[in-house]
mmCIF file of all heavy atoms in Angstrom:
data_model
loop_
_atom_site.group_PDB
_atom_site.id
_atom_site.type_symbol
_atom_site.label_atom_id
_atom_site.label_comp_id
_atom_site.label_asym_id
_atom_site.label_seq_id
_atom_site.Cartn_x
_atom_site.Cartn_y
_atom_site.Cartn_z
ATOM 1 N N GLY A 255 7.149 20.732 0.719
ATOM 2 C CA GLY A 255 7.408 21.692 -0.360
ATOM 3 C C GLY A 255 7.859 23.044 0.235
ATOM 4 O O GLY A 255 8.732 23.738 -0.365
ATOM 5 N N LEU A 256 7.287 23.370 1.372
ATOM 6 C CA LEU A 256 7.694 24.589 2.017
ATOM 7 C C LEU A 256 9.139 24.476 2.523
ATOM 8 O O LEU A 256 9.950 25.440 2.384
ATOM 9 C CB LEU A 256 6.757 24.834 3.190
ATOM 10 C CG LEU A 256 7.023 26.176 3.975
ATOM 11 C CD1 LEU A 256 6.867 27.429 3.174
ATOM 12 C CD2 LEU A 256 6.098 26.224 5.212
ATOM 13 N N HIS A 257 9.481 23.315 2.993
ATOM 14 C CA HIS A 257 10.862 23.047 3.373
ATOM 15 C C HIS A 257 11.809 23.179 2.185
ATOM 16 O O HIS A 257 12.811 23.869 2.305
ATOM 17 C CB HIS A 257 10.974 21.628 3.949
ATOM 18 C CG HIS A 257 12.364 21.240 4.323
ATOM 19 N ND1 HIS A 257 12.725 20.966 5.599
ATOM 20 C CD2 HIS A 257 13.445 20.959 3.555
ATOM 21 C CE1 HIS A 257 13.999 20.628 5.656
ATOM 22 N NE2 HIS A 257 14.490 20.579 4.449
ATOM 23 N N GLY A 258 11.409 22.652 1.072
ATOM 24 C CA GLY A 258 12.326 22.767 -0.073
ATOM 25 C C GLY A 258 12.409 24.215 -0.646
ATOM 26 O O GLY A 258 13.473 24.639 -1.044
ATOM 27 N N LEU A 259 11.283 24.897 -0.555
ATOM 28 C CA LEU A 259 11.314 26.361 -0.890
ATOM 29 C C LEU A 259 12.149 27.169 0.000
ATOM 30 O O LEU A 259 12.968 28.012 -0.484
ATOM 31 C CB LEU A 259 9.909 26.893 -0.959
ATOM 32 C CG LEU A 259 9.707 28.269 -1.473
ATOM 33 C CD1 LEU A 259 10.036 28.369 -2.944
ATOM 34 C CD2 LEU A 259 8.257 28.737 -1.183
ATOM 35 N N LEU A 260 12.087 26.939 1.218
ATOM 36 C CA LEU A 260 12.934 27.647 2.182
ATOM 37 C C LEU A 260 14.455 27.252 1.959
ATOM 38 O O LEU A 260 15.324 28.158 2.078
ATOM 39 C CB LEU A 260 12.577 27.375 3.604
ATOM 40 C CG LEU A 260 11.244 27.917 4.059
ATOM 41 C CD1 LEU A 260 10.849 27.496 5.483
ATOM 42 C CD2 LEU A 260 11.275 29.469 3.992
ATOM 43 N N TYR A 261 14.681 26.023 1.573
ATOM 44 C CA TYR A 261 16.097 25.690 1.312
ATOM 45 C C TYR A 261 16.633 26.446 0.070
ATOM 46 O O TYR A 261 17.708 26.883 0.068
ATOM 47 C CB TYR A 261 16.203 24.184 1.050
ATOM 48 C CG TYR A 261 17.477 23.766 0.522
ATOM 49 C CD1 TYR A 261 18.647 23.594 1.379
ATOM 50 C CD2 TYR A 261 17.677 23.497 -0.837
ATOM 51 C CE1 TYR A 261 19.817 23.239 0.863
ATOM 52 C CE2 TYR A 261 19.032 23.191 -1.323
ATOM 53 C CZ TYR A 261 20.008 23.049 -0.497
ATOM 54 O OH TYR A 261 21.216 22.723 -0.927
ATOM 55 N N LEU A 262 15.729 26.512 -0.956
ATOM 56 C CA LEU A 262 16.201 27.258 -2.168
ATOM 57 C C LEU A 262 16.434 28.740 -1.860
ATOM 58 O O LEU A 262 17.420 29.276 -2.379
ATOM 59 C CB LEU A 262 15.141 27.093 -3.365
ATOM 60 C CG LEU A 262 14.989 25.777 -3.866
ATOM 61 C CD1 LEU A 262 13.868 25.729 -4.916
ATOM 62 C CD2 LEU A 262 16.316 25.411 -4.618
ATOM 63 N N ILE A 263 15.617 29.317 -1.021
ATOM 64 C CA ILE A 263 15.797 30.716 -0.706
ATOM 65 C C ILE A 263 17.016 30.884 0.068
ATOM 66 O O ILE A 263 17.868 31.725 -0.130
ATOM 67 C CB ILE A 263 14.574 31.252 -0.006
ATOM 68 C CG1 ILE A 263 13.366 31.359 -0.996
ATOM 69 C CG2 ILE A 263 14.833 32.623 0.612
ATOM 70 C CD1 ILE A 263 12.051 31.609 -0.227
ATOM 71 N N ALA A 264 17.310 30.040 1.054
ATOM 72 C CA ALA A 264 18.449 30.117 1.948
ATOM 73 C C ALA A 264 19.705 29.837 1.241
ATOM 74 O O ALA A 264 20.783 30.428 1.440
ATOM 75 C CB ALA A 264 18.365 29.136 3.118
ATOM 76 N N SER A 265 19.719 28.969 0.268
ATOM 77 C CA SER A 265 20.967 28.608 -0.522
ATOM 78 C C SER A 265 21.335 29.722 -1.420
ATOM 79 O O SER A 265 22.512 29.754 -1.918
ATOM 80 C CB SER A 265 20.784 27.318 -1.313
ATOM 81 O OG SER A 265 19.702 27.511 -2.343
ATOM 82 N N ARG A 266 20.472 30.709 -1.730
ATOM 83 C CA ARG A 266 20.921 31.790 -2.599
ATOM 84 C C ARG A 266 21.676 32.751 -1.750
ATOM 85 O O ARG A 266 22.575 33.587 -2.387
ATOM 86 C CB ARG A 266 19.666 32.561 -3.108
ATOM 87 C CG ARG A 266 18.964 31.713 -4.122
ATOM 88 C CD ARG A 266 17.790 32.512 -4.695
ATOM 89 N NE ARG A 266 17.854 32.333 -6.146
ATOM 90 C CZ ARG A 266 17.547 33.234 -7.109
ATOM 91 N NH1 ARG A 266 17.183 34.428 -6.663
ATOM 92 N NH2 ARG A 266 17.748 33.029 -8.279
ATOM 93 N N TYR A 267 21.469 32.923 -0.471
ATOM 94 C CA TYR A 267 22.101 33.946 0.413
ATOM 95 C C TYR A 267 23.202 33.448 1.281
ATOM 96 O O TYR A 267 24.076 34.109 1.613
ATOM 97 C CB TYR A 267 21.029 34.617 1.213
ATOM 98 C CG TYR A 267 20.045 35.345 0.317
ATOM 99 C CD1 TYR A 267 18.770 34.866 0.206
ATOM 100 C CD2 TYR A 267 20.423 36.512 -0.406
ATOM 101 C CE1 TYR A 267 17.792 35.460 -0.570
ATOM 102 C CE2 TYR A 267 19.410 37.091 -1.188
ATOM 103 C CZ TYR A 267 18.118 36.616 -1.301
ATOM 104 O OH TYR A 267 17.218 37.178 -2.085
ATOM 105 N N TRP A 268 23.110 32.158 1.716
ATOM 106 C CA TRP A 268 24.074 31.644 2.663
ATOM 107 C C TRP A 268 24.530 30.263 2.108
ATOM 108 O O TRP A 268 23.741 29.517 1.415
ATOM 109 C CB TRP A 268 23.456 31.429 4.035
ATOM 110 C CG TRP A 268 22.983 32.632 4.585
ATOM 111 C CD1 TRP A 268 23.726 33.587 5.132
ATOM 112 C CD2 TRP A 268 21.602 33.036 4.734
ATOM 113 N NE1 TRP A 268 22.873 34.634 5.595
ATOM 114 C CE2 TRP A 268 21.600 34.237 5.414
ATOM 115 C CE3 TRP A 268 20.384 32.467 4.427
ATOM 116 C CZ2 TRP A 268 20.377 34.963 5.716
ATOM 117 C CZ3 TRP A 268 19.221 33.109 4.700
ATOM 118 C CH2 TRP A 268 19.295 34.444 5.281
ATOM 119 N N PRO A 269 25.785 29.909 2.500
ATOM 120 C CA PRO A 269 26.198 28.572 2.150
ATOM 121 C C PRO A 269 25.464 27.498 2.984
ATOM 122 O O PRO A 269 25.481 27.596 4.281
ATOM 123 C CB PRO A 269 27.699 28.506 2.421
ATOM 124 C CG PRO A 269 27.888 29.656 3.384
ATOM 125 C CD PRO A 269 26.826 30.614 3.097
ATOM 126 N N VAL A 270 24.814 26.576 2.366
ATOM 127 C CA VAL A 270 23.946 25.565 3.082
ATOM 128 C C VAL A 270 24.566 24.180 2.811
ATOM 129 O O VAL A 270 24.998 23.829 1.705
ATOM 130 C CB VAL A 270 22.512 25.674 2.552
ATOM 131 C CG1 VAL A 270 21.607 24.639 3.324
ATOM 132 C CG2 VAL A 270 21.949 27.042 2.657
ATOM 133 N N THR A 271 24.593 23.416 3.858
ATOM 134 C CA THR A 271 25.130 22.098 3.774
ATOM 135 C C THR A 271 24.295 21.132 3.004
ATOM 136 O O THR A 271 23.066 21.379 2.879
ATOM 137 C CB THR A 271 25.460 21.483 5.148
ATOM 138 O OG1 THR A 271 24.220 21.300 5.791
ATOM 139 C CG2 THR A 271 26.348 22.380 5.993
ATOM 140 N N ASP A 272 24.771 20.014 2.516
ATOM 141 C CA ASP A 272 24.012 19.008 1.731
ATOM 142 C C ASP A 272 23.087 18.357 2.640
ATOM 143 O O ASP A 272 22.050 17.781 2.209
ATOM 144 C CB ASP A 272 24.967 18.068 1.046
ATOM 145 C CG ASP A 272 25.574 18.668 -0.166
ATOM 146 O OD1 ASP A 272 25.099 19.677 -0.644
ATOM 147 O OD2 ASP A 272 26.580 18.129 -0.595
ATOM 148 N N ARG A 273 23.356 18.278 3.972
ATOM 149 C CA ARG A 273 22.341 17.572 4.852
ATOM 150 C C ARG A 273 21.022 18.313 4.864
ATOM 151 O O ARG A 273 19.987 17.631 5.044
ATOM 152 C CB ARG A 273 23.056 17.601 6.253
ATOM 153 C CG ARG A 273 22.139 17.045 7.313
ATOM 154 C CD ARG A 273 22.842 16.076 8.159
ATOM 155 N NE ARG A 273 22.015 15.683 9.290
ATOM 156 C CZ ARG A 273 21.259 14.527 9.241
ATOM 157 N NH1 ARG A 273 21.308 13.810 8.253
ATOM 158 N NH2 ARG A 273 20.553 14.235 10.342
ATOM 159 N N LEU A 274 21.008 19.611 4.634
ATOM 160 C CA LEU A 274 19.745 20.297 4.678
ATOM 161 C C LEU A 274 18.895 20.066 3.377
ATOM 162 O O LEU A 274 17.716 20.437 3.383
ATOM 163 C CB LEU A 274 19.962 21.762 4.910
ATOM 164 C CG LEU A 274 20.436 22.247 6.293
ATOM 165 C CD1 LEU A 274 20.679 23.706 6.339
ATOM 166 C CD2 LEU A 274 19.478 21.794 7.349
ATOM 167 N N ARG A 275 19.520 19.488 2.350
ATOM 168 C CA ARG A 275 18.859 19.160 1.177
ATOM 169 C C ARG A 275 17.847 18.015 1.350
ATOM 170 O O ARG A 275 16.896 17.874 0.699
ATOM 171 C CB ARG A 275 19.873 18.799 0.031
ATOM 172 C CG ARG A 275 20.558 19.926 -0.512
ATOM 173 C CD ARG A 275 21.299 19.521 -1.724
ATOM 174 N NE ARG A 275 20.398 19.121 -2.779
ATOM 175 C CZ ARG A 275 20.745 18.393 -3.840
ATOM 176 N NH1 ARG A 275 21.953 17.917 -3.859
ATOM 177 N NH2 ARG A 275 19.862 18.049 -4.759
ATOM 178 N N GLN A 276 18.178 17.165 2.413
ATOM 179 C CA GLN A 276 17.373 16.009 2.589
ATOM 180 C C GLN A 276 16.074 16.500 3.383
ATOM 181 O O GLN A 276 16.155 17.158 4.411
ATOM 182 C CB GLN A 276 18.071 14.951 3.425
ATOM 183 C CG GLN A 276 19.266 14.390 2.786
ATOM 184 C CD GLN A 276 20.080 13.511 3.581
ATOM 185 O OE1 GLN A 276 19.847 13.447 4.844
ATOM 186 N NE2 GLN A 276 21.055 12.784 3.034
ATOM 187 N N ILE A 277 14.945 16.079 2.878
ATOM 188 C CA ILE A 277 13.647 16.588 3.477
ATOM 189 C C ILE A 277 13.055 15.415 4.392
ATOM 190 O O ILE A 277 12.898 14.323 3.844
ATOM 191 C CB ILE A 277 12.677 16.927 2.410
ATOM 192 C CG1 ILE A 277 13.161 18.076 1.592
ATOM 193 C CG2 ILE A 277 11.322 17.307 3.002
ATOM 194 C CD1 ILE A 277 12.375 18.509 0.431
ATOM 195 N N PRO A 278 12.973 15.678 5.671
ATOM 196 C CA PRO A 278 12.466 14.670 6.571
ATOM 197 C C PRO A 278 10.989 14.446 6.393
ATOM 198 O O PRO A 278 10.082 14.887 7.154
ATOM 199 C CB PRO A 278 12.721 15.229 7.924
ATOM 200 C CG PRO A 278 12.692 16.666 7.712
ATOM 201 C CD PRO A 278 13.221 16.954 6.348
ATOM 202 N N TYR A 279 10.630 13.681 5.372
ATOM 203 C CA TYR A 279 9.144 13.532 5.025
ATOM 204 C C TYR A 279 8.308 12.803 6.127
ATOM 205 O O TYR A 279 7.194 13.118 6.344
ATOM 206 C CB TYR A 279 9.052 12.776 3.719
ATOM 207 C CG TYR A 279 7.692 12.849 3.005
ATOM 208 C CD1 TYR A 279 7.236 14.007 2.594
ATOM 209 C CD2 TYR A 279 6.872 11.736 2.937
ATOM 210 C CE1 TYR A 279 5.939 14.169 2.025
ATOM 211 C CE2 TYR A 279 5.634 11.815 2.312
ATOM 212 C CZ TYR A 279 5.199 13.024 1.901
ATOM 213 O OH TYR A 279 3.936 13.129 1.421
ATOM 214 N N ALA A 280 8.927 11.820 6.745
ATOM 215 C CA ALA A 280 8.283 11.114 7.801
ATOM 216 C C ALA A 280 7.907 12.032 9.007
ATOM 217 O O ALA A 280 6.837 11.903 9.629
ATOM 218 C CB ALA A 280 9.087 9.916 8.315
ATOM 219 N N ALA A 281 8.766 12.911 9.307
ATOM 220 C CA ALA A 281 8.455 13.929 10.315
ATOM 221 C C ALA A 281 7.287 14.795 9.902
ATOM 222 O O ALA A 281 6.449 15.109 10.787
ATOM 223 C CB ALA A 281 9.710 14.753 10.608
ATOM 224 N N TYR A 282 7.207 15.196 8.693
ATOM 225 C CA TYR A 282 6.176 15.978 8.192
ATOM 226 C C TYR A 282 4.840 15.200 8.148
ATOM 227 O O TYR A 282 3.830 15.765 8.351
ATOM 228 C CB TYR A 282 6.412 16.588 6.860
ATOM 229 C CG TYR A 282 7.545 17.695 6.878
ATOM 230 C CD1 TYR A 282 8.599 17.681 5.998
ATOM 231 C CD2 TYR A 282 7.554 18.658 7.896
ATOM 232 C CE1 TYR A 282 9.588 18.596 6.072
ATOM 233 C CE2 TYR A 282 8.520 19.596 7.981
ATOM 234 C CZ TYR A 282 9.554 19.576 7.017
ATOM 235 O OH TYR A 282 10.545 20.590 7.168
ATOM 236 N N MET A 283 4.933 13.842 7.895
ATOM 237 C CA MET A 283 3.809 13.048 7.925
ATOM 238 C C MET A 283 3.259 12.896 9.332
ATOM 239 O O MET A 283 2.093 12.927 9.619
ATOM 240 C CB MET A 283 4.102 11.702 7.396
ATOM 241 C CG MET A 283 4.085 11.586 5.861
ATOM 242 S SD MET A 283 4.099 9.900 5.259
ATOM 243 C CE MET A 283 5.695 9.378 5.764
ATOM 244 N N GLY A 284 4.152 12.937 10.352
ATOM 245 C CA GLY A 284 3.779 12.878 11.726
ATOM 246 C C GLY A 284 3.001 14.103 12.125
ATOM 247 O O GLY A 284 2.016 14.042 12.817
ATOM 248 N N VAL A 285 3.522 15.325 11.663
ATOM 249 C CA VAL A 285 2.850 16.522 11.981
ATOM 250 C C VAL A 285 1.438 16.557 11.364
ATOM 251 O O VAL A 285 0.420 16.993 11.899
ATOM 252 C CB VAL A 285 3.649 17.714 11.580
ATOM 253 C CG1 VAL A 285 2.943 19.065 11.621
ATOM 254 C CG2 VAL A 285 4.976 17.828 12.344
ATOM 255 N N ALA A 286 1.436 16.064 10.076
ATOM 256 C CA ALA A 286 0.152 16.092 9.333
ATOM 257 C C ALA A 286 -0.865 15.070 9.989
ATOM 258 O O ALA A 286 -2.045 15.285 10.009
ATOM 259 C CB ALA A 286 0.405 15.720 7.849
ATOM 260 N N ALA A 287 -0.323 13.950 10.431
ATOM 261 C CA ALA A 287 -1.241 12.924 11.126
ATOM 262 C C ALA A 287 -1.752 13.468 12.427
ATOM 263 O O ALA A 287 -2.946 13.265 12.706
ATOM 264 C CB ALA A 287 -0.408 11.642 11.351
ATOM 265 N N LEU A 288 -0.979 14.201 13.115
ATOM 266 C CA LEU A 288 -1.489 14.851 14.382
ATOM 267 C C LEU A 288 -2.588 15.893 14.086
ATOM 268 O O LEU A 288 -3.582 15.973 14.804
ATOM 269 C CB LEU A 288 -0.355 15.479 15.188
ATOM 270 C CG LEU A 288 0.515 14.526 15.984
ATOM 271 C CD1 LEU A 288 1.660 15.249 16.577
ATOM 272 C CD2 LEU A 288 -0.336 13.871 17.002
ATOM 273 N N SER A 289 -2.345 16.669 12.998
ATOM 274 C CA SER A 289 -3.377 17.660 12.626
ATOM 275 C C SER A 289 -4.664 17.021 12.080
ATOM 276 O O SER A 289 -5.755 17.481 12.393
ATOM 277 C CB SER A 289 -2.855 18.663 11.645
ATOM 278 O OG SER A 289 -2.567 18.058 10.392
ATOM 279 N N VAL A 290 -4.506 15.936 11.414
ATOM 280 C CA VAL A 290 -5.714 15.154 10.863
ATOM 281 C C VAL A 290 -6.431 14.531 12.163
ATOM 282 O O VAL A 290 -7.632 14.476 12.147
ATOM 283 C CB VAL A 290 -5.345 14.165 9.828
ATOM 284 C CG1 VAL A 290 -6.494 13.167 9.602
ATOM 285 C CG2 VAL A 290 -4.952 14.852 8.582
ATOM 286 N N ALA A 291 -5.626 13.975 13.128
ATOM 287 C CA ALA A 291 -6.269 13.424 14.234
ATOM 288 C C ALA A 291 -6.998 14.407 15.063
ATOM 289 O O ALA A 291 -8.077 14.125 15.696
ATOM 290 C CB ALA A 291 -5.278 12.728 15.102
ATOM 291 N N CYS A 292 -6.518 15.651 15.060
ATOM 292 C CA CYS A 292 -7.172 16.702 15.893
ATOM 293 C C CYS A 292 -8.302 17.386 15.092
ATOM 294 O O CYS A 292 -9.076 18.196 15.620
ATOM 295 C CB CYS A 292 -6.189 17.749 16.325
ATOM 296 S SG CYS A 292 -5.017 17.025 17.477
ATOM 297 N N MET A 293 -8.408 17.121 13.799
ATOM 298 C CA MET A 293 -9.458 17.701 12.968
ATOM 299 C C MET A 293 -10.888 17.125 13.327
ATOM 300 O O MET A 293 -10.968 15.876 13.335
ATOM 301 C CB MET A 293 -9.151 17.433 11.492
ATOM 302 C CG MET A 293 -10.065 18.130 10.558
ATOM 303 S SD MET A 293 -9.625 17.761 8.809
ATOM 304 C CE MET A 293 -7.951 18.353 8.756
ATOM 305 N N PRO A 294 -11.819 17.933 13.454
ATOM 306 C CA PRO A 294 -13.135 17.320 13.788
ATOM 307 C C PRO A 294 -13.661 16.676 12.535
ATOM 308 O O PRO A 294 -13.521 17.086 11.422
ATOM 309 C CB PRO A 294 -14.010 18.609 14.098
ATOM 310 C CG PRO A 294 -13.229 19.754 13.648
ATOM 311 C CD PRO A 294 -11.838 19.356 13.545
#
Side-chain angles (χ1 to χ4, degrees):
L256 181 64
H257 177 113
L259 184 65
L260 290 175
Y261 171 79
L262 288 175
I263 292 170
S265 66
R266 292 185 132 213
Y267 299 107
W268 299 286
V270 182
T271 62
D272 285 339
R273 174 135 173 94
L274 291 177
R275 286 187 67 199
Q276 299 173 349
I277 297 176
Y279 195 66
Y282 293 134
M283 280 191 294
V285 170
L288 283 175
S289 66
V290 168
C292 293
M293 185 182 299

